[in-house]
Amino acid sequence: MSKDSPNAMWGGRFAEGPDAIMEAINASIGFDQRLAGHDIRGSRAHAAMLAAQGIISDSDAQAIREGLLTVLSEIESGEFDFSTALEDIHMNVEARLKEIVGEPAGRLHTARSRNDQVATDFRMWVRDQLDALDGALAGLSRALLAQAEAGADWVMPGFTHLQVAQPVTWGHHLLAYVEMFARDRSRFSDARARMNECPLGAAALAGTSFPIDREMTSEALGFDRPCANSIDAVSDRDFAMEFLSAASICAVHLSRLAEELVIWSTAQFRFVEMSDRFSTGSSIMPQKRNPDAAELVRAKSGRVLGATVSLFTVMKGLPLTYSKDMQEDKEQVFDAADSLMLAIAAMEGIVRDMCANVAELEAAAAAGFSTATDLADWLVRERGMPFREAHRVTGSLVALAESKRCGLPALSMEDMASVYTDMDEGVFDVLEPKRSVASRTSLGGTAPVRVREEIARWKEVLG
């Protein structure tokens, strides 16, 4: 667009250019320039299809496609001059293409609109992010798996309500997060399959009268098929909303893991020690080792969740088909994708570098009457007692131990018999945390033998 014709992109409909405020609120080039590579890829595929269908000449298509590569090179090298007057990435690319190849550039927009163009660009961008996030989550899962394998038989307290519940193994606890991130990968995979339809060719909203080949452009751009309905093709942002929904769940999983690591690294727990690479100090307190990386991972979830709410709010009241509100779809998705990718990378580093304090884990596993359930199970198994009665007897023994300020294993045989007469020395065998975890051999249980089976399975899955 020439500098003396600020309304050239809209043709002859407008006599005056936009007000400066209108230009500022209308322009998206400040953020949608991230779509440049996808925009140029889509345009090259469109030009090739137009030529194959005899809609434009082969020579024009060749000039367009070569010119677009020049534009891409300028953008990638940082030499491209983006203009807010040209509003968005599409018009910036087209204007520069015209300067490079002249008249053929004006034929590129035949049989398409910016509506189907941006929908196509945005889908390709989100698709690439899904692939990248899948790989990042696989890396984090491998880091968790390595930690789990190292501590497959280390005992630690399992918690409910952040109170000691039952002993579990370190490996079992970390494998819980491997399961979570596997579901995240599955959600990303599902979202990718569902969104992999090509809007290009839907034009503004009604399709086109030109004899285009949508199958050709769809295949060239790596889509499974063209979108079936031109109205839906340009108005749909389900793919972005679904991406953010899955990203939000993943961010919550990362935040939960980060929260545990923050707690575990305190002086009160001392379960883990963060490496210097993912910790910071204090400007005033020389003893401090702050788990800042984990805290920031925890905080990033807020940005992802906020982006999700924002886009859902933008879309919830829009009539079909395209409204300018939909320009506000990208910044939230861009920010959420960046935040999530950084959080995953940071968490992988934290997990790979952290060191577990095995002695502290084991000591904590024995605290808080963690094997009380094992005692109740012993009464059921060895004395044929109904579980509810076993629960009552065990509760009385816990109360007795509390009054004596000791753990269950420290009670004498006489203490035990004062609550339930038919006790024998065998009861003390089940009160040791390592025996407790070893006994939990049910499918999905915390026994080291089960943990090692799961580690072997996940090694095969993750490769």
Side-chain angles (χ1 to χ4, degrees):
M1 184 184 69
S2 63
K3 292 182 179 179
D4 59 347
S5 301
N7 62 316
M9 75 173 79
W10 301 322
R13 172 64 178 83
F14 291 84
E16 298 181 12
D19 183 88
I21 294 174
M22 177 59 190
E23 182 176 294
I25 196 172
N26 195 49
S28 60
I29 190 60
F31 52 86
D32 70 12
Q33 60 186 261
R34 292 183 68 162
L35 300 176
H38 300 89
D39 189 74
I40 288 171
R41 182 183 173 192
S43 290
R44 295 185 80 240
H46 184 67
M49 180 276 296
L50 292 176
Q53 294 299 105
I55 299 170
I56 66 173
S57 68
D58 290 338
S59 60
D60 281 350
Q62 183 67 17
I64 289 168
R65 299 184 76 205
E66 290 179 359
L68 286 169
L69 289 179
T70 301
V71 175
L72 180 61
S73 176
E74 291 175 354
I75 292 173
E76 290 178 340
S77 66
E79 298 173 4
F80 193 92
D81 183 20
F82 292 103
S83 167
T84 56
L86 288 168
E87 188 177 325
D88 57 31
I89 187 60
H90 321 299
M91 298 309 298
N92 269 265
V93 168
E94 187 174 324
R96 178 61 182 137
L97 180 65
K98 185 176 181 180
E99 291 174 352
I100 295 170
V101 304
E103 183 182 352
R107 305 186 188 282
L108 174 59
H109 212 52
T110 306
R112 76 173 184 186
S113 161
R114 283 188 294 173
N115 292 357
D116 61 336
Q117 189 178 357
V118 70
T120 303
D121 295 353
F122 198 16
R123 280 187 190 238
M124 288 194 290
W125 191 91
V126 172
R127 187 176 64 187
D128 286 352
Q129 294 305 301
L130 289 169
D131 292 341
L133 286 166
D134 180 77
L137 284 173
L140 173 55
S141 297
R142 292 187 190 98
L144 287 163
L145 197 61
Q147 284 280 0
E149 186 172 26
D153 56 358
W154 299 344
V155 293
M156 65 174 289
F159 298 91
T160 62
H161 309 278
L162 204 56
Q163 304 292 315
V164 173
Q166 293 177 275
V168 297
T169 50
W170 169 263
H172 193 55
H173 193 107
L174 294 187
L175 285 177
Y177 285 104
V178 175
E179 294 285 344
M180 291 184 203
F181 295 128
R183 291 194 297 273
D184 291 326
R185 294 180 69 195
S186 177
R187 273 183 282 271
F188 287 144
S189 178
D190 287 347
R192 191 191 194 286
R194 213 171 350 265
M195 64 159 282
N196 204 33
E197 298 181 345
C198 185
L200 198 58
L205 75 160
T208 178
S209 59
F210 290 97
I212 61 173
D213 184 348
R214 293 191 62 206
E215 295 285 353
M216 179 179 173
T217 48
S218 177
E219 182 178 353
L221 297 175
F223 289 99
D224 295 330
R225 65 193 69 84
C227 296
N229 183 286
S230 61
I231 290 175
D232 179 57
V234 298
S235 61
D236 166 45
R237 291 298 182 271
D238 288 5
F239 65 92
M241 296 165 72
E242 188 171 6
F243 167 73
L244 288 177
S245 298
S248 292
I249 297 173
C250 181
V252 167
H253 290 157
L254 287 165
S255 185
R256 295 184 74 181
L257 176 54
E259 171 71 2
E260 291 207 308
L261 295 179
V262 168
I263 293 171
W264 290 355
S265 64
T266 62
Q268 291 74 22
F269 275 74
R270 293 189 297 176
F271 286 1
V272 300
E273 183 174 307
M274 305 286 194
S275 76
D276 290 346
R277 297 200 313 144
F278 293 96
S279 303
T280 65
S282 165
S283 63
I284 187 172
M285 294 169 284
Q287 84 280 10
K288 294 294 295 295
R289 178 196 290 270
N290 298 323
D292 282 10
E295 291 172 350
L296 288 166
V297 167
R298 187 175 58 187
K300 291 291 183 184
S301 65
R303 293 180 68 155
V304 179
L305 291 165
T308 305
V309 173
S310 179
L311 182 57
F312 273 61
T313 304
V314 167
M315 296 300 299
K316 69 177 181 62
L318 297 186
L320 300 179
T321 56
Y322 182 86
S323 297
K324 193 67 170 180
D325 311 52
M326 292 165 69
Q327 182 169 287
E328 294 296 311
D329 58 359
K330 297 171 199 65
E331 283 183 284
Q332 293 91 339
V333 174
F334 292 162
D335 185 72
D338 290 346
S339 296
L340 187 59
M341 185 65 78
L342 181 57
I344 294 170
M347 185 55 74
E348 180 182 349
I350 293 168
V351 170
R352 286 195 185 280
D353 284 6
M354 71 183 183
C355 293
N357 188 332
V358 181
E360 291 290 343
L361 291 171
E362 186 170 337
F369 309 104
S370 65
T371 55
T373 305
D374 297 271
L375 174 53
D377 289 347
W378 184 88
L379 290 169
V380 171
R381 187 171 56 251
E382 300 297 327
R383 295 295 182 262
M385 190 180 292
F387 182 79
R388 285 300 169 204
E389 177 63 13
H391 187 285
R392 184 196 65 77
V393 169
T394 302
S396 297
L397 288 168
V398 168
L400 177 60
E402 282 184 321
S403 70
K404 290 178 172 288
R405 298 184 179 277
C406 67
L408 287 172
L411 291 175
S412 68
M413 198 67 243
E414 290 75 17
D415 292 331
M416 293 278 192
S418 71
V419 175
Y420 178 66
T421 57
D422 193 16
M423 287 286 192
D424 65 47
E425 295 291 337
V427 71
F428 292 102
D429 291 340
V430 302
L431 298 181
E432 204 276 323
K434 286 187 177 180
R435 289 179 181 268
S436 173
V437 297
S439 72
R440 307 288 170 179
T441 56
S442 58
L443 179 65
T446 192
V449 64
R450 293 286 172 259
V451 171
R452 290 191 175 93
E453 287 172 358
E454 282 300 289
I455 289 169
R457 180 177 72 86
W458 277 115
K459 278 185 169 182
E460 186 174 345
V461 170
L462 293 169

